[in-house]
Every structure is written in structure tokens, then in C-alpha cells.
């Protein structure tokens, strides 16, 4: 059912705000243009009111969810290319069509470490895509191959690479066209497009490439890394904007060197890049390298479906030596926190109750709620209708699905996530004790802001895309709307 004049009013509903609040208020949209309207301007300037009014019965009308790290779903793996472009595109579109049942209206297909010749083709196929009945494919997230061997997780060791020629190495692997500046990459076909690269700052050539990648419009994310506090901070000062799946595939929190996790609680005392005594401006600490014999043995044994939460290679010991820093003037205003010399990065959390303990989730959120982003990091087996049991994977291996847990058959090794993003939102509210509105923010506004698209996605601002999800007061998805049209309904 459509509106005679194209205008729809949602009434008797709670609207999530960008600060995490929930406000009882009507929302007007234009289904023909697919955008959210300013009701006051529409009524007083255009002299129009909606012909169709939808009473949501006190439920929540949220911006559609964004999943910025997902490896596949509905039996399609974004990292597998079998030589046919149309077959690959068909799989992509199938995921985009079906995933709306989980409340996701935008997603960022993620490619794990591959044989280097595949990258240019895969990333070209992952250009932004949208249709009237599907979630928007925002672009691509390349997780690897410039990652740390010691924190490779399930990434195949023989394909890991250094960036010995800095940005040129990134261009040679990913393809120069795929790393063009944003305006040239989009080529006018889309107004919204996103590229994310996960890499380890300590890997040769990566740190020197961050600022150039950022200049071209790429979001740089720290992940699969053993970076010390100094290195991680330097990466953020060079432009890194995100941390990939916090707690997983990185050193665990240590009180002397909190490493990547410690960025959430970055101290103003140590954040100044201009101070000659700053640990960041000091020479980078030496990173313990994995012996070549260990690398060779791992490569010969083939890919291992290990969990990124429980690494099979122990984190090398870190021994930080922080130089003394002079105290700046102390302020006297109660409740004020001294400004940092840089913005703390956003961070991803897999909130399935498996990859990160509820206490860890709450600890991270309490440290920096404004930076929290919920992701699924889901595998191709993601399908809310899939029953528990044994399922085929690839290379002769099989999964065993048990609820939200996914194991490699015959082992107790976690093999990825099968949680849906709407369930992550519900889990997050339970784990942290935050309101449902605050949990929704971590799957809508926060990821959109991290990607620089918060004027179009993840928001209910006038002029934004009318990508919406109707939730009951327990966070269950009732219906999903894309560009002002209902594309899925529970009923």
C-alpha cells in the first residue's frame, strides 16, 4: 500500500536519537524520493501533509542497522570467487535481499586475506550497490593481507604480506583503481561509498601508508596486530579511525602496556604529539618478530580455522619504556576532562556472548560509549533460519553450528560468528545495562559516523535515506524499510 501523494507519517512510536535517547514523536518520509522529511517545513512551506498514516502501536522506529564487518551470509562467502562475475554478483545481491530480515539496511562486505591476484577483481566487484528491495552494499572492507603473523587468527599465513614499498605495495595488491580518491572511485554512480582497510601498524610499510590512505578517503582500522601503546597511538595520530573486533587478534589488556585496547582510555597526559618527551614521538619500540622457521611451518601446514579470540600463537611479550613527560597546567573545574590531542578511534565489538565476555563488553563501553560499533563478523553460514547441526564450509571442512556458536567439525575451535546484528543489539543492552536506545545507537549512528556517512545513513535527520527498521520494545525486528518502501515484514 502506497500513499497517494507519496508522503507517509509514522505515529505512536519511539524514535532513537543520535545521543541514544528515545523520544515519542512522529516521523514523516517521502516514499517516492526515499528520504526522511522535516515535518514542519513540509507542512508550513509545501502546504502538504501525509496521505498515509501508520500507527506503530508504541513500538520503536529506528534507522536501519549498519554492519560494517561481515564475511558472508545465506551460504555466500564474499571472499570466494569462482571465476564468474555474474555468479559472484548474484550471491552478493542474494545476501543484500535477505539480510533485511535482521534489520540491516546497509552492510560492508569483508574480504579476508587472499592470494594477492584476487584482490583487484574482488574489490572491483564490491563497488557500492543498491536496489529498491535490498540492503545497500556500501563498498568493501579488506581485512589483510598486511597483518601480523602472530595475530593472524584464521587468515592463511602463506598469503600475509609486508608493505615494503609503502603505499605502492597497497596499490599493487588491491589495485590502484580501487584505491583512487573517493570522488574518482565512486565515478558519480553513487553518493555513498565506503572503503575500509584493516592492517597492523607494526608491519613493514603500513605506518608510513596510513596518512595517504586516509587522504584518498579510506578508513584505516587497526587489527590483527601486536602494536604497543606507542605504535597504536601513532597510528591514530596518522589517521587510523577504527579498531577491528576489539579484544580479538590483539594483545590483551596489560597494566604496563595496554596496547591497542588501551586507546579507549587514552590519557591526555600522554596524548600530545608535540611534546618532545611524548612516548609517541619517541622512536617506535621494537616489535618481536616471529622466526621464519615458525612462519614456514605454519604455511606448510595449511590454513587453520582458528578463532581470533583464542590465538594459537602466544602474544610476544611487551616491555614498554615510557619517558617522563612534563605536567601541563592543571585545571580546577570539577567534571571537566582535559582534551586529548587526537580523537580516540571507534572500535568494533562482536556481542554474541562468545567472542567477548559480557564484562569485557561493558568495560569497553563504559570507557568510551561514543566510539562503540556493533558488528557480526559473520560467516557465510549466517542465516537465522538455519538449524543446528553439521554444515559444509570449504576445502573439505565442515562447520558444527550450536546456537550462536560455530565450531570446526571434530574440534572445539571457534570458526567465526553466526549471530545476527539485531541479536547483538539485544545482547549489548543486556550485557552493559544500557538502554535499548543506546544499544541501537551502536548499530546505527556510531558506525555511520565512523564511515563519514552519518548525513545519509544511521540517522533520522531530515534529508537522510529513509532506511528504517521497526522494533518491538524488546528489540525484535517487526519490519524493515529501504528508501521509504517496506521490504520485509514479520507478519
Amino acid at each position: 500500500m502506497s500513499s497517494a501523494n507519496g508522503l507517509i507519517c509514522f505515529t505512536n512510536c519511539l524514535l532513537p536519537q543520535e545521543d541514544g535517547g528515545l523520544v515519542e514523536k512522529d516521523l514523516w518520509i517521502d516514499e517516492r524520493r526515499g528520504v526522511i522529511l522535516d515535518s514542519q517545513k513540509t507542512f508550513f512551506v509545501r502546504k502538504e501533509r501525509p496521505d498515509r498514516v501508520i500507527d506503530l502501536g508504541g513500538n520503536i522506529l529506528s534507522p536501519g542497522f549498519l554492519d560494517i564487518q561481515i564475511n558472508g551470509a545465506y551460504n555466500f562467502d564474499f571472499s570466494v570467487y569462482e571465476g564468474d562475475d555474474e555468479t559472484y554478483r548474484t550471491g552478493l545481491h542474494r545476501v543484500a535481499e535477505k539480510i533485511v530480515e535482521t534489520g540491516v539496511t546497509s552492510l560492508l562486505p569483508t574480504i579476508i586475506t587472499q592470494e594477492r591476484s584476487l584482490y583487484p577483481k574482488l574489490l572491483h566487484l564490491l563497488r557500492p550497490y543498491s536496489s529498491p528491495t535490498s540492503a545497500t552494499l556500501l563498498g568493501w572492507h579488506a581485512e589483510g593481507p598486511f597483518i601480523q603473523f602472530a595475530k593472524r587468527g584464521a587468515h592463511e599465513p602463506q598469503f600475509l604480506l609486508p608493505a615494503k614499498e609503502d603505499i605502492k605495495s597497497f596499490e599493487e595488491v588491491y589495485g590502484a583503481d580501487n584505491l583512487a580518491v573517493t570522488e574518482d572511485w565512486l565515478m558519480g554512480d553513487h553518493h555513498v561509498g565506503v572503503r575500509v582497510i584493516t592492517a597492523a601498524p607494526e608491519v613493514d610499510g603500513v605506518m608510513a601508508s596510513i596518512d595517504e590512505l586516509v587522504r584518498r578517503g579510506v578508513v584505516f582500522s587497526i587489527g590483527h596486530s601486536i602494536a604497543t601503546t606507542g605504535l597504536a597511538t601513532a597510528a591514530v595520530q596518522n589517521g587510523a579511525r577504527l579498531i577491528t573486533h576489539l579484544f580479538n587478534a590483539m594483545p590483551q589488556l596489560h597494566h604496563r602496556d595496554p596496547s591497542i585496547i588501551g586507546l579507549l582510555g587514552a590519557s591526555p597526559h600522554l596524548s600530545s604529539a608535540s611534546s618532545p618527551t611524548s612516548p609517541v614521538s619517541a622512536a617506535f619500540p621494537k616489535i618481536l618478530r616471529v622466526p621464519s622457521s615458525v612462519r614456514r611451518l605454519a604455511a606448510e601446514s595449511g590454513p587453520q580455522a582458528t578463532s581470533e579470540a583464542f590465538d594459537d600463537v602466544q602474544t610476544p611479550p611487551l616491555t614498554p619504556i615510557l619517558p617522563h613527560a612534563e605536567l601541563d597546567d592543571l585545571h580546577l573545574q570539577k567534571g571537566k576532562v582535559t582534551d586529548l590531542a587526537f580523537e580516540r578511534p571507534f572500535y568494533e565489538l562482536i556481542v554474541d556472548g562468545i567472542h567477548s565476555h559480557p564484562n569485557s563488553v561493558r568495560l569497553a563501553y563504559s570507557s568510551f560509549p561514543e566510539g562503540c560499533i556493533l558488528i557480526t563478523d559473520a560467516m557465510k553460514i549466517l542465516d537465522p533460519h538455519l538449524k543446528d547441526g553439521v554444515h559444509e564450509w570449504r576445502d573439505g571442512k565442515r562447520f558444527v553450528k550450536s546456537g550462536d556458536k560455530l565450531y570446526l567439525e571434530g574440534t572445539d575451535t571457534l570458526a567465526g560468528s553466526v549471530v545476527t546484528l539485531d541479536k547483538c543489539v539485544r545482547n549489548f543492552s543486556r550485557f552493559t545495562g544500557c538502554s535499548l536506545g543506546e544499544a541501537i545507537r551502536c548499530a546505527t549512528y556510531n558506525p555511520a559516523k565512523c564511515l563519514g556517512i552519518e548525513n545519509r545513513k544511521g540517522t533520522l535527520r531530515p534529508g537522510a535515506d529513509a532506511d528504517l527498521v521497526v522494533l518491538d520494545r524488546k528489540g525484535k525486528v517487526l519490519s524493515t524499510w529501504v528508501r521509504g518502501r517496506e521490504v520485509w515484514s514479520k507478519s
Side-chain angles (χ1 to χ4, degrees):
M1 178 181 177
S2 60
S3 170
N5 65 354
L7 305 187
I8 298 174
C9 170
F10 294 97
T11 191
N12 190 17
C13 55
L14 296 174
L15 304 183
Q17 305 299 291
E18 293 176 2
D19 64 358
L22 287 170
V23 176
E24 188 172 354
K25 188 178 179 182
D26 292 353
L27 184 77
W28 291 17
I29 66 171
D30 186 332
E31 66 175 349
R32 293 175 181 171
R33 294 167 51 214
V35 297
I36 295 170
L37 297 174
D38 182 322
S39 59
Q40 297 293 312
K41 287 184 178 179
T42 304
F43 181 76
F44 290 108
V45 177
R46 291 173 52 181
K47 308 295 184 184
E48 288 186 291
R49 66 172 61 193
D51 280 344
R52 184 183 177 194
V53 177
I54 300 176
D55 188 330
L56 292 180
N59 288 311
I60 297 168
L61 180 62
S62 168
F65 298 152
L66 286 79
D67 193 348
I68 69 172
Q69 186 160 350
I70 177 171
N71 304 293
Y74 300 98
N75 204 36
F76 182 73
D77 190 328
F78 299 132
S79 296
V80 175
Y81 177 72
E82 298 178 336
D84 183 77
D85 290 7
E86 281 310 306
T87 299
Y88 188 86
R89 288 193 182 99
T90 298
L92 278 176
H93 299 169
R94 181 173 71 248
V95 174
E97 293 270 352
K98 290 190 172 185
I99 204 166
V100 293
E101 68 177 319
T102 69
V104 172
T105 57
S106 297
L107 66 149
L108 199 57
T110 302
I111 303 299
I112 64 170
T113 298
Q114 296 291 308
E115 198 283 316
R116 62 183 297 165
S117 65
L118 288 175
Y119 281 102
K121 167 62 74 175
L122 284 173
L123 299 186
H124 179 75
L125 288 170
L126 288 173
R127 297 184 61 79
Y129 165 84
S130 62
S131 80
T133 59
S134 73
T136 298
L137 300 172
L138 293 170
W140 50 261
H141 182 162
E143 187 182 9
F146 304 105
I147 60 175
Q148 174 60 241
F149 176 87
K151 291 295 180 183
R152 68 191 184 278
H155 293 242
E156 298 187 10
Q158 65 269 34
F159 296 146
L160 303 185
L161 296 171
K164 292 183 177 179
E165 297 186 67
D166 302 342
I167 191 65
K168 185 177 179 182
S169 295
F170 282 82
E171 290 180 330
E172 289 176 348
V173 171
Y174 296 140
D177 290 345
N178 295 317
L179 290 181
V181 295
T182 299
E183 292 79 5
D184 294 335
W185 176 65
L186 289 174
M187 296 189 300
D189 294 336
H190 297 270
H191 298 293
V192 176
V194 175
R195 295 165 294 173
V196 175
I197 290 175
T198 290
E202 74 275 11
V203 168
D204 292 344
V206 170
M207 183 72 79
S209 306
I210 295 175
D211 58 348
E212 177 59 20
L213 290 169
V214 171
R215 187 192 70 79
R216 299 183 187 192
V218 174
V219 175
F220 184 91
S221 187
I222 303 169
H224 290 274
S225 168
I226 57 171
T228 58
T229 298
L231 274 171
T233 304
V236 174
Q237 290 179 322
N238 282 353
R241 189 169 173 80
L242 179 63
I243 300 171
T244 295
H245 44 54
L246 189 75
F247 300 121
N248 294 278
M250 63 185 62
Q252 296 310 290
L253 189 67
H254 192 284
H255 59 286
R256 294 197 189 97
D257 190 343
S259 185
I260 300 163
I261 299 171
L263 290 171
L264 275 63
S267 168
H269 178 57
L270 300 176
S271 72
S272 175
S274 59
S275 170
T277 57
S278 167
V280 176
S281 61
F284 292 153
K286 183 178 179 180
I287 296 293
L288 182 64
R289 301 296 177 188
V290 178
S292 58
S293 58
V294 176
R295 283 178 171 271
R296 194 161 50 248
L297 181 62
E300 290 171 355
S301 64
Q304 305 295 315
T306 54
S307 166
E308 293 170 352
F310 306 102
D311 296 302
D312 57 337
V313 178
Q314 186 176 359
T315 301
L318 303 175
T319 308
I321 301 176
L322 301 180
H324 173 70
E326 295 295 329
L327 290 175
D328 294 324
D329 292 337
L330 304 180
H331 68 76
L332 304 178
Q333 184 179 342
K334 180 183 176 182
K336 181 182 184 299
V337 178
T338 304
D339 292 335
L340 287 167
F342 59 86
E343 290 188 11
R344 286 178 287 178
F346 290 87
Y347 58 95
E348 301 174 341
L349 284 173
I350 308 169
V351 190
D352 57 0
I354 302 162
H355 282 80
S356 297
H357 190 278
N359 289 0
S360 299
V361 173
R362 186 167 188 253
L363 181 65
Y365 182 66
S366 299
S367 299
F368 185 30
E370 296 84 1
C372 183
I373 295 173
L374 305 184
I375 61 165
T376 63
D377 198 23
M379 305 293 281
K380 77 168 191 176
I381 205 171
L382 172 69
D383 182 341
H385 309 289
L386 191 67
K387 295 181 179 179
D388 289 354
V390 179
H391 303 276
E392 296 296 327
W393 185 25
R394 62 186 182 196
D395 301 326
K397 296 183 176 67
R398 299 200 296 178
F399 289 128
V400 178
K401 179 182 179 293
S402 176
D404 289 333
K405 295 180 181 179
L406 195 64
Y407 297 98
L408 186 64
E409 186 182 33
T411 75
D412 59 358
T413 300
L414 286 172
S417 164
V418 288
V419 71
T420 58
L421 196 54
D422 61 315
K423 188 168 185 179
C424 286
V425 170
R426 297 192 296 274
N427 285 344
F428 188 78
S429 182
R430 295 188 188 103
F431 292 178
T432 64
C434 75
S435 70
L436 187 53
E438 290 167 312
I440 288 170
R441 178 191 186 192
C442 298
T444 55
Y445 181 70
N446 284 359
K449 186 176 181 182
C450 172
L451 301 179
I453 57 174
E454 73 272 20
N455 62 324
R456 294 286 301 275
K457 304 289 185 182
T459 181
L460 299 180
R461 297 177 187 178
D465 293 343
D467 295 344
L468 308 167
V469 56
V470 180
L471 307 167
D472 66 20
R473 291 190 175 219
K474 294 183 178 180
K476 296 286 186 70
V477 178
L478 301 177
S479 65
T480 307
W481 298 63
V482 171
R483 298 300 301 273
R485 305 276 182 171
E486 188 177 47
V487 296
W488 183 86
S489 174
K490 185 177 181 180
S491 59

